Amino acid sequence: MPIPQTIRDLIARFENQKESYTAADSGYNKTQLRREFLDSFFEALGWDIANKQGYAEAYKEVVHEDALKVGAATKAPDYSFRAGGTRKFFVEAKKPSVNIKEDLSPAFQLRRYAWSAKLPLSILTNFEEFAVYDCRQKPDKNDKASVGRLLYIRYEEYEKRWDEIESIFSKEAILKGSFDKYADSTKGKKGTSEVDNQFLEEIERWRDLLARNIAINNPNLSQRELNFAVQLTIDRIIFLRICEDRGIEHYGSLMALLNGENVYKRIRQNFQRADEIYNSGLFHFKDEKGRAEPPDTLSLTLNIDDKPLKDILKNLYYPESPYEFSVLPADILGQVYEQFLGKVIRLTAGHQAKVEDKPEVKKAGGVFYTPTYIVDYIVKNTVGKLIENKTPKQIEKLKILDPACGSGSFLIQLYQFLLDYIRDWYINDGAEKYTKGKEPKLTKVLSGEWRLSTPERKKILLDNIHGVDIDSQAVEVTKLSLLLKVLEGENEQSLAQQMTLWHQRALPDLENNIKCGNSLIGTDYFACQGVQEVMALYENNEDAERIKINAFDWDEKGGFPEIMKNGGFDAVIGNPPYVIIAKDFFSENSIDYLKRYPVAQYKTDLFHLFIQKGIDLLNPCGLMGFITPNTWYTLQFTSQLREYVLNKSAIEEIVVFNHKVFGNADVDTGLLFLSRKNIADNHNLIIKNISSENAELNLYENKGYKILQKSWLKNQDFRFEVRQFGKEGKLVKRLVTTFPPLINIARASLGCQAYNSSKHAKQEIKDRIFHSSKKLSKDYLPELAGNDVGRYFIERKKGEWIKYGPWLHDYRTMDWLTGPRILILEIAGKMPYKICSSYTEENYC
């Protein structure tokens, strides 16, 4: 495409005045450059720089953030370019006298912004020079300006290289995916360390430093108290440091503690001052009327050495720190914490601290964070439908819940969705009238944009958002993330005004919204035990079953009695835990209790129970949206769950993902949307099959297939037939309707499991007592491991032998291990999936 005349004119004007623009003592500043050159440059690339289309704040294509003063000498990026409200790249402008090609500082500044915001590419320009940087590599203050630079174009080259610029950074290129393809094609350089991985490493290092030091200096601390103390210390430091970079706290307040001794004594004063300002459970050190949660009396009594604290604080500031906290996205913080909470501090017999994986995380192979686009889709298809065409007054009555909130990813996205909708409603209804009164709904920031006032943001959070998690640390992280969201756009002056004019502290207390408890087990758990036993549990040490179970009553004090009294929640959303209920992680008493759920069957998973619980917690018109494994749609042993869902709710939509949503996690997933309303005879549900190609776009554009819900009640075992639609569905339907089921012509069994903690001691499992490298007696059979079975061949790679008999955990009679049979590998591996199996007549275990 030929270069636009606008760009030719800009080039000619710059050429004519170049000396006056670029002279070292030139008065020509960055603001002039942006107005006279850069705004027009990016308009020529199709961007609505001045928001002439009048988009709502959340969907402006370009956000000008130069008015936001951050810290002592830093500020927000000059331009943030967005698609559908999602940041795609930053542009940092410099006056023409700055040497873009050679100067270290401008490149470091841009890369620091974009790396912290987890943007793959961003631009540094003074119009004379145009530099594109790969911002996935951790920035270092000593990096040359060329580090990470992918493109360098001078203004004289714009004409011949315009196609190149336009093909990556035009609005059309963004919408068509060309930008993302270019970013992917430049990915994978050595030394790349994305911000979430790097920040996780950093706070894990802090945890290790603090845990060891606190354990040594505070010998009377219990393991539970140690975890509490370390977590809150980290949370408080991160909160205050982010507030500094956003201009809410005085920049350098924490850094000042590096001067002198008794750091913890002085940092406690910062924490106590924060209690006066913020009114948050994050800082709660004294009894206050009307607050149910007891104050934190532990933190103020701790002894912590200066060395670990100075190490942590030093690495939070430029030049040591690569982070720009003002642009660190809330969902990135959530992803980091999700991983962080997968580990726990354990005290040894000698009161030394050891950090190790939680058992359930170790078994699952790690912690897996729900992708943002899926959270967004779930929120829009539940809460989005509930608030459509409603006024803020009507919305304030809605109660929305995540019953397994973890680090708060769903609640953060939900909160942002509500903030955007309500702000835009006020603007469209006439913004000015909502700026008046004792507690205005809207305020205007320096850039001229409207934003909700802090009292209004607090009100929305307290009115609408609720969460529960069994992990107390996760609950604190959820609160932290939501509180940081409340403070977005605030500064020291606005908070001082709030306290003076409205006599309010800056943050809400979330103890009645985000609660710590077991969503599936109530206090009736203890009803089967004698009074003396129950009293002993309540008086026992921290390892008592009471603390492990963490019973939670939804309709009693400590739960949500008012909401349940009024019929339940308007929406339940989330990603419930995927954990098989077995003796590995559950006591016999808790297994017996969980088996009382009507949907519980063989190999019940926690997410099965959460689906039932989610339905039960909805009010008669409530909506639910979950992401879960999709195996329960057809498995024989989830028939009761399917029957419960079909009879108790109207399924609105089922989404089946034909790719691994959670990256390396070997779990096939789907989305379930339903409402609690009565099912009409003609109610149709929608089934969508989504491939990995443009999955985010397909979620919205794919119209899916309709099927009568009541027809599934006639299916064998109430199976959800989600496979018989679309191109592949024709083949599946033909197979199902034309040929007999496998059970009519063959019998099937799972393979053997040699060891299990319910039958064998830990040492027996560790020593693999039934295995041998050779045949020791007639009892020994050649063993086949899963990956020994290929596609039409068998290859014993390890070649081990196993002593076969009823002493194994999962014993089969010999007729299963002899004669003609087909062995099928259970785990299909990477996509595209295909049957991986082989015929044999040999004897194998």
Side-chain angles (χ1 to χ4, degrees):
M1 183 177 173
I3 188 169
Q5 186 59 43
T6 310
I7 302 300
R8 285 200 178 98
D9 293 344
L10 292 177
I11 294 169
R13 191 196 316 165
F14 191 87
E15 179 67 35
N16 291 335
Q17 303 291 327
K18 182 180 174 184
E19 287 187 15
S20 62
Y21 290 147
T22 58
D25 57 352
S26 168
Y28 193 78
N29 61 36
K30 185 170 73 170
T31 302
Q32 291 170 292
L33 176 84
R34 291 181 59 188
R35 288 175 179 168
E36 295 175 15
F37 286 92
L38 298 186
D39 286 357
S40 299
F41 184 93
F42 286 101
E43 281 175 352
L45 288 169
W47 293 100
D48 185 2
I49 293 290
N51 194 30
K52 292 174 183 174
Q53 297 177 81
Y55 285 148
E57 301 291 337
Y59 295 100
K60 280 185 177 179
E61 292 178 7
V62 183
V63 177
H64 303 263
E65 299 178 288
D66 55 318
L68 179 61
K69 190 78 173 73
V70 177
T74 59
K75 53 172 189 48
D78 294 301
Y79 300 88
S80 177
F81 288 81
R82 308 191 300 179
T86 302
R87 281 176 178 156
K88 300 302 286 188
F89 64 92
F90 287 146
V91 171
E92 181 62 19
K94 294 295 171 190
K95 59 186 181 181
S97 59
V98 173
N99 186 336
I100 296 282
K101 188 175 185 180
E102 303 295 339
D103 285 1
L104 275 62
S105 180
F108 176 66
Q109 182 185 11
L110 171 78
R111 289 173 57 213
R112 193 164 172 249
Y113 282 142
W115 183 76
S116 296
K118 207 175 181 182
L119 301 180
L121 308 176
S122 281
I123 297 167
L124 181 63
T125 184
N126 58 6
F127 187 77
E128 182 182 17
E129 303 167 277
F130 181 95
V132 177
Y133 281 88
D134 184 335
C135 301
R136 287 167 289 216
Q137 187 174 346
K138 180 184 173 184
D140 186 279
K141 65 182 186 296
N142 297 317
D143 286 340
K144 292 181 180 179
S146 59
V147 172
R149 193 160 60 203
L150 300 173
L151 286 177
Y152 177 80
I153 304 173
R154 288 188 56 79
Y155 77 101
E156 302 99 322
E157 302 174 280
Y158 285 161
E159 186 153 3
K160 67 178 181 182
R161 298 185 69 177
W162 184 254
D163 281 350
E164 188 177 356
I165 296 170
E166 187 182 51
S167 68
I168 305 168
F169 293 102
S170 69
K171 178 184 171 183
E172 186 180 8
I174 296 288
L175 296 177
K176 286 185 174 180
S178 303
F179 174 89
D180 293 329
K181 286 178 183 175
Y182 179 77
D184 288 341
S185 71
T186 59
K187 194 175 181 180
K189 296 192 170 186
K190 286 185 179 179
T192 297
S193 178
E194 296 194 2
V195 64
D196 47 1
N197 297 327
Q198 192 67 36
F199 194 52
L200 175 63
E201 283 183 23
E202 187 74 1
I203 62 173
E204 283 186 333
R205 190 178 70 82
W206 300 351
R207 173 169 56 193
D208 198 53
L209 285 172
L210 288 171
R212 293 173 190 274
N213 195 266
I214 293 173
I216 290 170
N217 287 318
N218 303 268
N220 295 323
L221 277 190
S222 68
Q223 183 169 299
R224 187 160 173 255
E225 288 171 331
L226 177 61
N227 276 278
F228 170 84
V230 170
Q231 177 79 49
L232 267 185
T233 303
I234 291 172
D235 290 352
R236 287 164 178 165
I237 289 172
I238 288 174
F239 177 87
L240 292 175
R241 181 63 188 89
I242 289 175
C243 286
E244 284 187 25
D245 259 10
R246 290 182 180 176
I248 298 167
E249 285 281 313
H250 182 64
Y251 184 81
S253 296
L254 294 175
M255 185 166 57
L257 299 171
L258 293 170
N259 302 317
E261 298 177 346
N262 299 316
V263 176
Y264 189 65
K265 183 179 179 181
R266 289 184 289 140
I267 205 171
R268 281 190 327 223
Q269 294 171 353
N270 288 42
F271 294 164
Q272 288 171 296
R273 185 182 61 83
D275 189 11
E276 298 298 325
I277 298 172
Y278 299 112
N279 185 41
S280 155
L282 186 61
F283 305 98
H284 177 30
F285 302 109
K286 56 190 177 186
D287 282 312
E288 291 183 44
K289 189 178 179 181
R291 293 182 75 164
E293 281 188 352
D296 167 21
T297 56
L298 176 68
S299 297
L300 302 182
T301 64
L302 294 175
N303 292 312
I304 307 177
D305 290 334
D306 287 352
K307 187 177 178 182
L309 288 169
K310 286 190 174 185
D311 184 326
I312 291 168
L313 298 176
K314 182 184 70 173
N315 285 284
L316 282 174
Y317 290 90
Y318 176 88
E320 275 71 19
S321 171
Y323 309 106
E324 179 52 63
F325 290 103
S326 63
V327 295
L328 190 70
D331 61 330
I332 295 298
L333 191 64
Q335 288 176 37
V336 169
Y337 262 117
E338 197 91 3
Q339 299 287 331
F340 183 76
L341 295 175
K343 294 185 178 179
V344 68
I345 305 164
R346 181 176 62 82
L347 279 172
T348 67
H351 211 265
Q352 289 187 321
K354 302 284 185 186
V355 179
E356 54 190 32
D357 286 333
K358 290 178 179 175
E360 63 272 25
V361 171
K362 192 172 182 179
K363 183 168 183 179
V367 175
F368 303 99
Y369 190 84
T370 313
T372 302
Y373 75 92
I374 287 178
V375 179
D376 184 61
Y377 188 77
I378 290 174
V379 169
K380 285 178 179 174
N381 278 271
T382 50
V383 181
K385 290 182 177 180
L386 287 173
I387 68 174
E388 195 171 7
N389 298 321
K390 282 189 170 65
T391 67
K393 192 70 179 171
Q394 291 170 315
I395 291 171
E396 71 182 34
K397 298 172 184 173
L398 296 177
K399 307 300 177 186
I400 304 148
L401 168 76
D402 183 345
C405 63
S407 64
S409 58
F410 277 83
L411 297 182
I412 294 164
Q413 198 112 336
L414 161 65
Y415 186 34
Q416 186 63 60
F417 183 74
L418 290 173
L419 292 174
D420 291 342
Y421 177 93
I422 292 171
R423 179 201 58 210
D424 293 344
W425 192 94
Y426 285 136
I427 293 170
N428 293 331
D429 196 49
E432 291 295 341
K433 63 184 176 185
Y434 294 104
T435 63
K436 300 174 175 62
K438 288 184 177 180
E439 290 192 2
K441 310 294 186 186
L442 288 177
T443 60
K444 188 174 276 191
V445 295
L446 290 174
S447 63
E449 295 177 353
W450 291 106
R451 70 182 300 276
L452 291 172
S453 65
T454 299
E456 184 69 6
R457 294 166 77 92
K458 287 159 58 175
K459 186 177 185 303
I460 293 165
L461 179 54
L462 292 174
D463 283 344
N464 302 126
I465 293 176
H466 306 82
V468 178
D469 201 277
I470 194 169
D471 186 337
S472 60
Q473 290 176 291
V475 166
E476 293 308 317
V477 171
T478 296
K479 289 179 181 178
L480 169 67
S481 299
L482 289 169
L483 294 174
L484 285 168
K485 203 55 145 161
V486 174
L487 289 175
E488 281 184 354
E490 292 292 353
N491 56 43
E492 281 185 287
Q493 289 75 26
S494 66
L495 293 187
Q497 181 189 50
Q498 195 178 136
M499 294 179 74
T500 304
L501 294 181
W502 302 322
H503 307 290
Q504 289 185 356
R505 286 188 283 180
L507 291 174
D509 179 11
L510 295 178
E511 66 179 355
N512 292 320
N513 291 69
I514 313 300
K515 295 177 179 282
C516 185
N518 190 326
S519 290
L520 299 175
I521 297 181
T523 53
D524 60 337
Y525 172 85
F526 300 107
C528 61
Q529 302 180 42
V531 175
Q532 294 303 316
E533 279 185 272
V534 175
M535 291 306 295
L537 285 171
Y538 274 79
E539 294 168 2
N540 207 345
N541 61 32
E542 67 163 344
D543 294 320
E545 192 176 0
R546 174 184 63 85
I547 292 172
K548 287 183 178 180
I549 293 298
N550 200 2
F552 183 79
D553 290 326
W554 290 91
D555 52 1
E556 299 291 336
K557 185 179 178 182
F560 299 100
E562 284 301 312
I563 294 173
M564 298 312 296
K565 182 181 174 182
N566 292 327
F569 290 88
D570 297 280
V572 175
I573 59 175
N575 178 9
Y578 316 157
V579 182
I580 295 288
I581 299 170
K583 291 179 181 177
D584 305 46
F585 308 119
F586 298 86
S587 68
E588 286 190 23
N589 285 340
S590 60
I591 291 174
D592 288 342
Y593 183 96
L594 295 171
K595 280 182 177 177
R596 297 182 203 168
Y597 276 78
V599 302
Q601 286 178 266
Y602 175 70
K603 286 197 173 180
T604 299
D605 197 298
L606 283 183
F607 83 84
H608 301 163
L609 308 187
F610 268 97
I611 291 174
Q612 179 190 324
K613 178 61 75 174
I615 293 171
D616 296 346
L617 290 170
L618 288 173
N619 66 35
C621 298
L623 300 177
M624 187 175 94
F626 274 175
I627 177 170
T628 70
N630 61 35
T631 48
W632 72 278
Y633 301 164
T634 54
L635 275 180
Q636 178 184 354
F637 297 112
T638 49
S639 60
Q640 290 171 199
L641 173 58
R642 290 190 294 272
E643 184 181 15
Y644 195 91
V645 171
L646 290 171
N647 285 320
K648 296 281 188 179
S649 68
I651 302 174
E652 304 296 340
E653 181 175 302
I654 289 178
V655 178
V656 183
F657 292 106
N658 296 316
H659 62 285
K660 302 292 187 190
V661 163
F662 293 107
N664 295 327
D666 188 37
V667 56
D668 297 308
T669 53
L671 306 183
L672 172 69
F673 296 96
L674 55 80
S675 59
R676 185 73 188 271
K677 67 186 181 187
N678 292 329
I679 310 105
D681 289 339
N682 63 346
H683 174 70
N684 286 311
L685 61 96
I686 293 172
I687 297 170
K688 292 184 180 181
N689 280 288
I690 305 296
S691 64
S692 58
E693 189 72 25
N694 292 324
E696 184 173 354
L697 191 63
N698 286 339
L699 263 176
Y700 293 95
E701 293 192 345
N702 187 326
K703 300 303 179 188
Y705 301 91
K706 290 184 178 179
I707 186 168
L708 196 65
Q709 176 170 326
K710 290 209 167 181
S711 68
W712 279 359
L713 284 166
K714 300 173 185 176
N715 289 347
Q716 183 181 358
D717 293 330
F718 311 103
R719 284 179 186 155
F720 291 5
E721 284 298 351
V722 296
R723 302 165 299 174
Q724 297 182 22
F725 304 93
K727 186 179 176 183
E728 297 86 354
K730 289 179 181 178
L731 174 61
V732 175
K733 194 167 187 176
R734 180 167 167 256
L735 288 170
V736 171
T737 56
T738 308
F739 300 99
L742 189 61
I743 196 170
N744 289 3
I745 56 169
R747 57 183 187 147
S749 171
L750 294 172
C752 302
Q753 182 184 338
Y755 308 102
N756 188 278
S757 58
S758 64
K759 194 168 185 177
H760 305 109
K762 282 185 180 179
Q763 196 59 43
E764 289 179 320
I765 298 171
K766 184 179 179 182
D767 294 341
R768 289 167 56 85
I769 61 170
F770 302 121
H771 278 82
S772 172
S773 59
K774 58 186 178 181
K775 185 169 185 173
L776 298 179
S777 71
K778 63 181 178 63
D779 289 332
Y780 279 80
L781 290 178
E783 182 190 48
L784 283 186
N787 60 6
D788 290 345
V789 177
R791 193 165 165 83
Y792 315 131
F793 68 89
I794 290 172
E795 180 186 2
R796 292 180 65 221
K797 298 178 181 71
K798 262 180 114 174
E800 286 199 309
W801 294 74
I802 185 166
K803 187 177 181 182
Y804 193 73
W807 42 82
L808 298 181
H809 169 65
D810 205 5
Y811 172 70
R812 303 271 183 274
T813 53
M814 282 300 294
D815 55 302
W816 284 101
L817 311 182
T818 59
R821 60 204 191 280
I822 295 172
L823 306 180
I824 302 174
L825 180 67
E826 181 189 8
I827 299 170
K830 294 180 181 178
M831 295 184 68
Y833 298 136
K834 54 191 177 185
I835 293 174
C836 191
S837 64
S838 186
Y839 173 84
T840 187
E841 296 182 9
E842 301 293 321
N843 292 4
Y844 291 116
C845 172

